[in-house]
Amino acid sequence: MPRMPTLVAFHAHPDDECLLQSGSLAKAVHDGHRVVVVYATRGEVGEMPDGLLAPGETVPERRVSEAMRSAEAIGVQQVAWLGYRDSGMMGTADNDDPACFWRADVDEAAARLAQILRDEAADVLTIYDENGNYGHPDHIQVHRVGARAADLAGTAHVLEATISREHIKQLIDAAAEAGEPVDDAPDLDDERVVFGVPEAVITTVVDVGDFLDRKRASIEAHASQVHDTGPFLAMSPDVFRAALGKEFYIRRGAPPGHRDDDVFAGVPVS
């Protein structure tokens, strides 16, 4: 039987995979691919709802357990950790911790990831866009470290998981028209706002409509992040599909105007 290509998805913290990419990962598993998720940190700085932690349980322990439940919901075959500390939001004191991912030497961190890529014989690596989707320091570092690791390991197919500004703006506008404005919605008419990318630079749009049950289960697995994910779980099925039924990527090295609908497009089956 031919060997199906392997995908390694590199993320900053537990829960980053659920909204941005879990549908694509579930689809890849369904199609017979090996899928590995690598986290740079254990999300130590994430906020927890009061009373959620069990007696003696720490924040990183909780977030690791949630990541494993998400992986089970998606069907991911392997989860790995680079071992850095969560850097927190840009401009906070956590950015200065010498153990945080934001402060990591790019080549050193890339070497750790490259070893995983080699061990897994990875055909595809996914990272984030150059702005880390919304300017989070750990997300920006995922882009830098991931791109360098792909060079070190010789992983030819690299895609940047991203957000379509136009898609989000349409959702915000639709909510406002329905009398349900989105709290703290970014002003996407302001080009200075760092949030996603214009659709013109997006190369790959994956329809994950058939895998929304797994995507919802992945989101639900990260119960400690309900402040961020709760609004999505409260959506009706139709709104959930409209909001999260497509996932967006930039294929590094693709020529201008390239468009495809599969993270494995162009990857040979050996």
Side-chain angles (χ1 to χ4, degrees):
M1 292 182 62
R3 171 188 171 274
M4 295 292 284
T6 293
L7 166 67
V8 172
F10 185 33
H11 287 282
H13 321 96
D15 88 289
D16 286 333
E17 85 291 342
C18 66
L19 295 174
L20 194 65
Q21 194 186 26
S22 59
S24 300
L25 301 183
K27 181 179 185 299
V29 171
H30 176 268
D31 291 343
H33 298 279
R34 178 170 173 80
V35 175
V36 178
V37 175
V38 180
Y39 294 105
T41 81
R42 289 175 166 80
E44 291 87 346
V45 183
E47 296 181 359
M48 291 279 163
D50 292 340
L52 182 66
L53 293 179
E57 185 181 30
T58 67
V59 170
E61 286 172 346
R62 176 67 187 220
R63 298 201 71 185
V64 166
S65 68
E66 290 177 348
M68 300 309 293
R69 285 195 290 272
S70 172
E72 183 178 3
I74 296 168
V76 169
Q77 290 94 338
Q78 181 68 30
V79 177
W81 309 85
L82 291 194
Y84 294 98
R85 188 180 187 277
D86 187 348
S87 307
M89 298 299 289
M90 188 69 83
T92 64
D94 291 297
N95 298 171
D96 299 324
D97 189 318
C100 78
F101 188 47
W102 179 237
R103 294 294 177 187
D105 179 82
V106 169
D107 283 340
E108 178 184 332
R112 298 186 192 185
L113 178 59
Q115 188 58 55
I116 296 172
L117 296 175
R118 296 187 194 99
D119 291 345
E120 293 290 346
D123 301 278
V124 177
L125 171 67
T126 63
I127 56 176
Y128 304 141
D129 66 48
E130 63 181 355
N131 293 318
N133 301 142
Y134 61 95
H136 192 295
D138 284 336
H139 288 226
I140 294 171
Q141 192 77 322
V142 161
H143 174 86
R144 296 171 178 171
V145 169
R148 178 64 177 141
D151 289 341
L152 292 174
T155 304
H157 297 271
V158 181
L159 292 91
E160 301 172 8
T162 191
I163 301 166
S164 162
R165 286 177 69 97
E166 287 89 340
H167 178 66
I168 296 300
K169 188 174 186 305
Q170 289 169 4
L171 295 174
I172 292 171
D173 291 345
E177 291 176 5
E180 299 178 357
V182 179
D183 293 337
D184 301 322
D187 181 4
L188 297 182
D189 290 322
D190 186 346
E191 294 182 356
R192 296 170 298 178
V193 173
V194 177
F195 194 90
V197 299
E199 283 194 2
V201 304
I202 291 172
T203 64
T204 306
V205 180
V206 181
D207 185 338
V208 299
D210 290 341
F211 302 93
L212 291 180
D213 56 339
R214 295 196 193 182
K215 186 162 187 169
R216 181 178 286 275
S218 171
I219 296 170
E220 290 174 340
H222 295 285
S224 68
Q225 303 305 297
V226 67
H227 175 74
D228 295 324
T229 61
F232 295 96
L233 295 176
M235 291 175 174
S236 69
D238 288 345
V239 175
F240 188 86
R241 178 178 293 273
L244 300 177
K246 294 180 179 179
E247 295 174 353
F248 304 90
Y249 300 87
I250 303 167
R251 186 177 296 277
R252 290 174 65 85
H258 174 89
R259 297 290 183 272
D260 66 65
D261 60 2
D262 186 352
V263 296
F264 293 100
V267 182
V269 175
S270 58

